[in-house]
Amino acid sequence: MGGPDKKVIAEVERLRREIEEHNYRYFVLDAPTIPDAEYDRLMQRLRELEAAHPELITPDSPTQRVGATPAGEFRPVRHSRPMLSLDNAFSEEDVTAFGKRVADRLRANGVNVKEIPFVGEPKIDGAAVSLRYEEGKLVLGATRGDGTVGEDVTHNIRTIRGVPLRLRTRKPPAVLEVRGEVFMPKKAFEELNRRAAERGEKVFANPRNAAAGSLRQLDPSVTARRQLDVFFYGVGETEGWRLPGTQSGILEALQELGLKTSPDWELLDGIQGCLTYYDTIAKKRPDLPYDIDGVVYKVNDLEWQRVLGFVARAPRWAIAHKFPAQEELTIVRRVEFQVGRTGALTPVARLEPVFVGGVTVSNATLHNFDELRRKDVREGDYVIVRRAGDVIPEIVSVVLEKRPPDARIVELPTRCPVCGSEVQRLEGEAVARCVGGLSCAAQRKESLRHFASRRAMDIEGLGTELIDQLVESGLVKTPADLYALEVEQLQGLERMGEKSAKKLKDALEKSKQTTLAKFLYALGIREVGEATANTLAEHFGSLEALMDADETQLQEVPDVGPVVASRVRAFFQEPHNRQVIADLIARGVNWPVPVRPKASSHPFSGKTFVLTGTLSTMTRDEAKERLMSVGAKVTSSVTRNTDYVIVGENPGSKAAKASQLGVPCLSEEEWLHWMQNGR
Ligand code: IVH
């Protein structure tokens, strides 16, 4: 028989390259050089040859975009570099403040320039993805997920025609991970919804949901019909790739590799340049073929980005400047008061449902009683509702001309609507609170919800309804009670079989192993968010040390001022809280306590580490936390000052850099061994 001859092999390869080049011109450059019919002819010829010689078919052939349906669900993928989010700016003042923060911080680090160069990019309203190319071939496409772990949607990503299956280069990098936004063009979205409505099927609320929903289709042929598109705006892990020194350089390099970038990005001169860019894009917005919800400014110089670093999950070197939200007119049916975790009473307007900015809104927050009074919102009033991005909709103003004669004034309740305790409003405070504390079911529920949430104790499966039941049945009063629950008790609850009861019990068990920072955050101390919990944990190293700290000692912690210090102190002074903490620990809640009497005595104390690659037993953030807990520093790039590089799986170029500079590398195992036992 014999395989295909050399001529066929060569023709197949030539057709593929030709088709890829036309794809690039059509999808990436938006400047096709051949008519569609000619393109179709090339595809047809390739299909014929592949049909005659199936052994020549490769997964990266342009004919192979729609593959087989993967079995079952989407596989979770841990991102080798976290996918961050952005802080938002809603006004010129916010942007100016951002510019000042950037300039101040750079100056403090010895960078002195008059106008900082930024890159401005449209903020695409779609779904963030990370694509991994190895040796130039697309091997993985993942959703953002929670930023650390996303879902493997490779089979659907492949169907997006703007995504190259092979990078457009003869010398592909060993690894190139690119980040971008998958979106559905407005036209495709309207068409999709029109057809769905015709068939009496579910319509998507907005293009963003449509894009995200399409990426999560099990059948890739469905996704292929959805006409998704993509813009790339950044990189993740890279190996064997010369990383450009600037964001603009990255965008140019990506485009060159066949990875489509927004045609509307611009290099900007200082904050004034940013504000001008905002106006330009705002004017263009109605004419763009896709939805954008703002623009993003990024410090152009990557070295400066590194100097600026990150806060929690957002970089200090970038900000999203959002467009003003959409507004609509509707009627307030009633105003109710919700009781939050700290007892705060929040007035919430129940509205005549109205469609604003892509979703139906039937509730709007009034933030606090003062605001309700200031806006003079009455039951029965016509109001303007605004929805900004994903934040909770709010009432902008009352349309007084439309006020009906029987509109009812809303009074602040004197008793908590949930537990009947007194409602107190301290002098000078905008917030009114139920004084019931944890005897108030609403506060108990909210505290438990916070305690169980993902960024806190991460108790999987302990959702709102279950918490309601647990509190209402009296089974759970404090977070510590959760860990005393028996499977039999859980089984007695509504919609709880033996299997789910066991599962919850397992989840509770699993959550016991935590970190000090998460534990502190979970306690729900007022004014202690995630970032503060992190710094407190780092600074004090142990719960005992923190609990014993007085306000002066607390204020020695970076970013802790008098208010936070007094809240923390007051929390730990309260006997009830101390009891709950003792119970939690007695029931097995624990976190790694470094085997170190003092940070300074640990061999890693004062040493500088760099992490690269994927670790098998923890995330990079966890590794960082552990290193910092023994007094080590963690930086992001390898220099002569680096003491050790910890090398996980699929390490990036940093491992190579380390060996180049003679910096010792440790495997995860070696590092953990040294952590525990010293060198
Ligand atoms: S940069 C560290 N650039 O907005 C950089 N994000 O609010 C993080 N987005 O999750 C992202 N267009 O899904 C960046 N030009 C752009 C963007 C963009 C849309 C999305 C992205 C991200 C979210 C953050």
Side-chain angles (χ1 to χ4, degrees):
M1 289 273 286
D5 62 23
K6 276 204 188 121
K7 252 174 76 188
V8 175
I9 297 175
E11 185 179 359
V12 165
E13 186 51 30
R14 187 178 54 72
L15 281 165
R16 286 180 186 161
R17 291 216 177 272
E18 211 172 316
I19 291 166
E20 279 166 3
E21 188 60 22
H22 289 304
N23 278 345
Y24 175 68
R25 286 168 193 273
Y26 184 89
F27 292 107
V28 181
L29 301 183
D30 198 17
T33 48
I34 54 166
D36 289 1
E38 177 66 13
Y39 177 88
D40 292 346
R41 202 188 54 74
L42 294 171
M43 278 297 270
Q44 191 48 37
R45 175 72 185 145
L46 179 59
R47 279 205 191 91
E48 276 164 24
L49 288 176
E50 287 181 344
H53 307 281
E55 67 277 23
L56 290 183
I57 299 177
T58 55
D60 55 11
S61 169
T63 59
Q64 303 298 306
R65 287 203 171 260
V66 182
T69 303
E73 290 170 6
F74 301 100
R75 190 175 62 94
V77 223
R78 183 171 286 276
H79 300 301
S80 58
R81 304 266 188 289
M83 289 182 76
L84 302 166
S85 63
L86 292 168
D87 274 340
N88 291 325
F90 293 101
S91 62
E92 284 199 8
E93 289 85 297
D94 290 354
V95 176
T96 312
F98 161 70
K100 186 169 168 343
R101 284 198 300 277
V102 166
D104 287 350
R105 211 170 246 276
L106 285 177
R107 204 170 311 116
N109 283 278
V111 180
N112 252 316
V113 276
K114 206 152 148 269
E115 294 295 21
I116 295 163
F118 288 91
V119 163
E121 298 167 26
K123 186 167 186 300
I124 314 298
D125 208 5
V129 292
S130 179
L131 270 52
R132 188 177 173 95
Y133 289 87
E134 284 177 9
E135 308 298 341
K137 293 196 173 118
L138 175 65
V139 294
L140 179 68
T143 59
R144 177 174 185 274
D146 62 9
T148 309
V149 177
E151 289 180 310
D152 181 344
V153 290
T154 315
H155 63 294
N156 288 335
I157 293 282
R158 291 173 56 90
T159 70
I160 303 172
R161 303 279 293 273
V163 170
L165 301 177
R166 294 198 284 199
L167 293 178
R168 202 177 148 270
T169 167
R170 295 213 175 257
K171 277 201 207 132
V175 176
L176 177 61
E177 247 179 39
V178 287
R179 266 87 198 260
E181 195 85 352
V182 165
F183 61 91
M184 185 176 287
K186 289 178 192 164
K187 263 221 184 87
F189 170 72
E190 278 154 20
E191 179 66 8
L192 175 70
N193 267 357
R194 196 184 54 73
R195 281 203 313 262
E198 235 170 54
R199 283 188 247 115
E201 291 167 7
K202 179 183 153 250
V203 295
F204 283 105
N206 53 47
R208 171 163 31 99
N209 290 2
S214 304
L215 275 185
R216 300 194 73 262
Q217 284 291 328
L218 271 179
D219 179 356
S221 67
V222 174
T223 313
R225 287 195 295 274
R226 294 282 173 88
Q227 301 177 59
L228 295 175
D229 207 340
V230 64
F231 282 139
F232 295 99
Y233 52 64
V235 296
E237 190 187 333
T238 68
E239 198 186 314
W241 193 58
R242 212 173 52 81
L243 185 72
T246 55
Q247 170 66 9
S248 54
I250 289 183
L251 292 172
E252 277 159 1
L254 293 181
Q255 177 88 358
E256 196 47 43
L257 285 168
L259 297 155
K260 186 173 173 177
T261 54
S262 161
D264 292 301
W265 69 266
E266 262 181 61
L267 202 52
L268 310 170
D269 216 2
I271 287 302
Q272 198 45 51
C274 291
L275 295 173
T276 311
Y277 177 72
Y278 177 85
D279 289 338
T280 313
I281 298 294
K283 279 204 195 80
K284 264 196 179 178
R285 187 185 185 193
D287 301 314
L288 290 174
Y290 43 82
D291 262 14
I292 61 174
D293 54 347
V295 295
V296 184
Y297 311 130
K298 301 175 181 174
V299 169
N300 193 30
D301 190 310
L302 260 47
E303 177 54 27
W304 296 0
Q305 289 188 1
R306 198 188 57 72
V307 167
L308 289 163
F310 304 87
V311 192
R313 265 164 310 286
R316 285 204 190 87
W317 44 263
I319 200 156
H321 190 179
K322 296 298 213 44
F323 291 127
Q326 279 112 326
E327 299 181 350
E328 285 300 335
L329 185 70
T330 189
I331 301 171
V332 175
R333 285 177 175 162
R334 343 176 261 296
V335 173
E336 290 177 356
F337 286 83
Q338 273 176 358
V339 184
R341 178 158 60 86
T342 58
L345 261 60
T346 308
V348 179
R350 308 290 179 206
L351 307 170
E352 199 58 45
V354 61
F355 202 65
V356 193
V359 300
T360 302
V361 169
S362 40
N363 301 303
T365 178
L366 282 154
H367 303 292
N368 57 53
F369 194 72
D370 276 353
E371 169 140 333
L372 179 141
R373 274 280 176 271
R374 194 166 53 74
K375 291 183 175 159
D376 189 20
V377 177
R378 305 185 186 183
E379 292 178 328
D381 265 340
Y382 278 82
V383 291
I384 309 267
V385 184
R386 171 198 297 171
R387 195 182 147 262
D390 287 334
V391 302
I392 308 164
E394 57 171 5
I395 290 180
V396 183
S397 58
V398 173
V399 185
L400 288 175
E401 307 84 79
K402 283 179 167 273
R403 173 168 283 169
D406 61 346
R408 293 168 303 279
I409 293 183
V410 179
E411 298 293 350
L412 181 69
T414 52
R415 298 259 152 210
C416 169
V418 176
C419 72
S421 298
E422 191 194 332
V423 168
Q424 226 176 44
R425 205 168 159 204
L426 296 181
E427 269 297 305
E429 271 204 27
V431 179
R433 286 176 207 278
C434 154
V435 300
L438 290 177
S439 73
C440 170
Q443 293 184 51
R444 253 197 327 255
K445 287 176 185 171
E446 290 304 322
S447 309
L448 287 165
R449 227 161 270 167
H450 173 79
F451 183 82
S453 64
R454 205 165 42 77
R455 299 200 186 291
M457 297 300 281
D458 193 14
I459 308 174
E460 217 173 297
L462 186 56
T464 305
E465 277 177 34
L466 205 52
I467 289 175
D468 287 354
Q469 282 194 61
L470 288 169
V471 170
E472 278 156 27
S473 64
L475 280 174
V476 171
K477 292 198 170 60
T478 77
D481 295 343
L482 290 170
Y483 293 104
L485 287 168
E486 298 295 344
V487 173
E488 296 72 40
Q489 291 172 307
L490 289 170
Q491 254 175 272
L493 300 171
E494 265 170 57
R495 268 178 299 195
M496 208 13 122
E498 189 187 334
K499 217 168 130 198
S500 26
K502 282 210 175 107
K503 228 171 137 185
L504 180 60
K505 185 79 189 154
D506 287 346
L508 280 160
E509 270 316 302
K510 196 172 141 216
S511 75
K512 286 182 182 172
Q513 174 73 52
T514 182
T515 64
L516 178 55
K518 285 190 167 189
F519 181 74
L520 289 176
Y521 175 63
L523 291 175
I525 306 166
R526 267 170 74 187
E527 307 290 338
V528 177
E530 244 183 318
T532 308
N534 275 324
T535 36
L536 287 172
E538 249 162 52
H539 184 91
F540 289 100
S542 78
L543 181 63
E544 295 72 26
L546 171 61
M547 286 174 78
D548 291 344
D550 60 27
E551 291 185 35
T552 321
Q553 289 166 320
L554 282 163
Q555 286 192 52
E556 284 164 14
V557 181
D559 297 334
V560 171
V563 176
V564 179
S566 84
R567 292 279 188 225
V568 173
R569 179 83 178 148
F571 183 91
F572 289 120
Q573 291 283 294
E574 168 67 50
H576 169 82
N577 293 336
R578 294 185 87 97
Q579 187 59 51
V580 171
I581 291 171
D583 291 346
L584 283 166
I585 293 170
R587 290 185 180 146
V589 171
N590 70 96
W591 49 87
V593 180
V595 215
R596 46 139 190 170
K598 273 201 173 63
S600 58
S601 71
H602 193 280
F604 288 161
S605 164
K607 298 276 187 260
T608 303
F609 283 76
V610 171
L611 296 157
T612 181
T614 313
L615 301 177
S616 63
T617 58
M618 66 187 89
T619 64
R620 239 179 243 234
D621 280 346
E622 283 158 6
K624 199 169 160 184
E625 235 165 68
R626 292 190 62 171
L627 281 163
M628 294 202 297
S629 73
V630 296
K633 271 202 307 196
V634 181
T635 61
S636 56
S637 55
V638 181
T639 67
R640 284 181 204 289
N641 297 329
T642 310
D643 291 297
Y644 299 102
V645 175
I646 298 173
V647 183
E649 267 196 58
N650 300 321
S653 53
K654 289 173 192 169
K657 184 83 187 280
S659 69
Q660 203 187 344
L661 293 178
V663 175
C665 290
L666 300 180
S667 71
E668 183 177 355
E669 210 179 322
E670 283 171 322
W671 163 57
L672 285 174
H673 184 80
W674 286 7
M675 272 305 269
Q676 297 276 327
N677 310 308
R679 290 196 57 177

